[in-house]
Amino acid sequence: MNGNKQQVRVWCDGCYDMVHFGHANSLRQAKAMGDYLVVGVHNDEEITKHKGPPVFTEEERYKMVRGIKWVDEVIEGAPYVTTLETLDKYDCQFCVHGDDITTTADGVDTYHIVKAAGRYKECQRTQGVSTTDLVGRMLLMTRGHQQRGDSEYKVERSRTESMSEDSAARSPWTGVSQFLPTTQKIIQFSEGKEPKPGDKIVYVAGAFDLFHVGHLDFLEKARALGDYLIVGLHTDPVVNQYKGANYPIMNLHERVLSVLACRYVSEVVIGAPYSVSKDMMDHFKVDLVVHGATPVATDVDGEDGDPYEEPKRRNKFMVIDSGSTMTTELLVQRIISNRLSFVERNQKKEAKEANLWKAMTTEDQEK
């Protein structure tokens, strides 16, 4: 192998608001096209001008993108329209974006410059999820996305390409849809590494719904307590028992992918029991069970009592404070309190995209 082979540096940019596994999947694909991934994140002012108010602040969004395991470098305050100067400044050979349309406030394709210069590549957008979609689930208080009954633990074994949106579940302006998970997608997101002999194994469990900076800070601190971090994710009915309303906003397998994309996470237990049992601790060889500074329910999943009784008995339990005040409930409150501005934002976004698609279709027909 030629040791002088030039490193291929790839550029991605975006708002990365309410970072979810759709964002992570596009960054995973972009990283696979090169060796080093640089991600530009727009500031609040630019996003508000072109798209409407973001849900998360720029500082929160910068931190969330840094937490994605395929990202090598984050550029704060990247320009909304991607230019050749930007690519050259960061020594990136080309830019990668999903196969969806992104426009400025004036309806101009934000990638028209790099496309014209032949320095643009496309990756497949993760169908069935978007920030607009998640905002829609919160505003409409829907529960159709949750996996219940026979589907509580189900993972569809199908081709990744078959992931699609459920048209019957789409709202004309929120794009509310249901994500169809595949085992292949979970494999693509998984680190696939076993703990090494002597590794200290840390276990945490929860809903990790609408993966946010509070979760990220907590997982970073939990990982620092050991060498290998396992995250147990509760099923949708279990989360609904202790959260109520229409929680979780994201279904089990959407939450699995969001957590697997985090650079601090080594492995995920899909549909973990609410109580940490003796068998579970022995099976995973858990050295430490960690819980955040949040209330613990004692009557979930048909069981009464302390779900952490076994790790406490073994003196292998610890409560840590993430240092973040963000919770899923606070995030939803942000959305609800700004409901009208987000509704307007979503309507404008769909209208701009529809107009650009129409213009592109007309142009193709005239050629």
Side-chain angles (χ1 to χ4, degrees):
M1 183 176 172
N2 183 1
N4 297 320
K5 180 188 172 187
Q6 184 185 10
Q7 183 187 57
V8 177
R9 291 170 63 92
V10 181
W11 173 270
C12 283
D13 57 29
C15 303
Y16 301 103
D17 195 18
M18 285 179 62
V19 172
H20 50 69
F21 64 90
H23 294 126
N25 192 37
S26 68
L27 295 174
R28 178 189 66 80
Q29 293 177 74
K31 177 66 178 279
M33 295 182 192
D35 306 304
Y36 190 89
L37 180 61
V38 183
V39 181
V41 182
H42 312 316
N43 63 29
D44 293 347
E45 185 181 355
E46 283 276 270
I47 295 172
T48 303
K49 175 185 173 184
H50 293 286
K51 193 174 180 178
V55 177
F56 279 118
T57 68
E58 56 197 52
E59 292 303 325
E60 289 169 333
R61 292 183 291 106
Y62 299 152
K63 180 183 279 190
M64 287 296 289
V65 175
R66 286 191 175 97
I68 296 173
K69 63 186 179 185
W70 297 287
V71 175
D72 295 300
E73 185 178 343
V74 169
I75 304 302
E76 300 180 1
Y80 204 80
V81 175
T82 310
T83 64
L84 300 179
E85 288 77 13
T86 299
L87 296 188
D88 292 341
K89 180 178 179 180
Y90 298 103
D91 297 321
C92 293
Q93 284 88 328
F94 55 87
C95 165
V96 176
H97 185 67
D99 52 7
D100 55 320
I101 301 272
T102 306
T103 63
T104 65
D106 301 321
V108 176
D109 183 351
T110 55
Y111 296 102
H112 72 281
I113 297 171
V114 289
K115 284 179 179 178
R119 294 176 68 180
Y120 174 87
K121 293 187 180 183
E122 220 162 63
C123 64
Q124 190 176 18
R125 179 178 174 271
T126 305
Q127 295 295 320
V129 67
S130 66
T131 301
T132 311
D133 171 32
L134 297 174
V135 169
R137 289 184 192 178
M138 284 178 259
L139 295 180
L140 298 175
M141 295 295 283
T142 55
R143 293 173 70 177
H145 57 279
Q146 294 178 7
Q147 294 176 210
R148 294 176 166 273
D150 294 341
S151 299
E152 183 173 353
Y153 295 89
K154 191 174 181 182
V155 184
E156 298 292 337
R157 184 173 290 279
S158 58
R159 290 169 61 83
T160 305
E161 291 82 354
S162 72
M163 287 197 304
S164 60
E165 292 176 345
D166 176 3
S167 59
R170 273 188 69 87
S171 155
W173 53 266
T174 61
V176 171
S177 56
Q178 183 167 353
F179 173 67
L180 303 178
T182 66
T183 50
Q184 178 61 32
K185 186 59 63 188
I186 290 174
I187 290 166
Q188 288 171 341
F189 272 54
S190 178
E191 208 169 74
K193 294 178 183 174
E194 296 284 328
K196 298 189 295 291
D199 275 357
K200 184 178 181 181
I201 299 173
V202 179
Y203 178 79
V204 303
F208 294 93
D209 192 18
L210 294 172
F211 197 82
H212 53 68
V213 285
H215 295 136
L216 186 69
D217 289 340
F218 170 69
L219 292 175
E220 182 180 14
K221 289 193 172 184
R223 176 61 180 259
L225 295 170
D227 308 295
Y228 193 90
L229 179 62
I230 301 174
V231 179
L233 284 165
H234 303 142
T235 64
D236 298 349
V238 169
V239 174
N240 190 250
Q241 274 188 59
Y242 63 83
K243 291 276 191 181
N246 71 324
Y247 292 105
I249 304 298
M250 299 182 87
N251 69 39
L252 175 62
H253 291 288
E254 291 172 327
R255 292 183 284 118
V256 165
L257 293 180
S258 295
V259 171
L260 278 175
C262 176
R263 66 172 66 251
Y264 307 117
V265 175
S266 309
E267 185 59 282
V268 164
V269 179
I270 303 173
Y274 191 75
S275 292
V276 182
S277 66
K278 175 182 183 300
D279 288 345
M280 188 169 182
M281 291 194 70
D282 292 342
H283 178 79
F284 291 108
K285 298 180 173 60
V286 175
D287 295 297
L288 181 66
V289 175
V290 175
H291 185 74
T294 54
V296 177
T298 57
D299 55 351
V300 174
D301 210 12
E303 297 180 23
D304 291 322
D306 185 352
Y308 295 112
E309 182 179 350
E310 180 62 23
K312 285 178 180 177
R313 188 186 67 78
R314 299 186 185 197
N315 200 26
K316 292 184 175 182
F317 179 77
M318 180 184 291
V319 172
I320 60 172
D321 189 341
S322 70
S324 173
T325 57
M326 176 58 69
T327 66
T328 301
E329 290 76 14
L330 280 175
L331 174 54
V332 172
Q333 281 306 310
R334 267 193 205 182
I335 302 290
I336 301 300
S337 62
N338 291 289
R339 182 178 188 277
L340 292 178
S341 60
F342 287 121
V343 168
E344 185 181 357
R345 182 189 84 168
N346 292 349
Q347 288 173 327
K348 284 181 178 178
K349 181 175 183 287
E350 292 225 345
K352 280 198 299 180
E353 289 178 358
N355 288 336
L356 191 55
W357 273 115
K358 186 176 179 181
M360 290 170 64
T361 304
T362 304
E363 188 178 309
D364 289 341
Q365 290 172 346
E366 291 174 350
K367 285 181 180 177

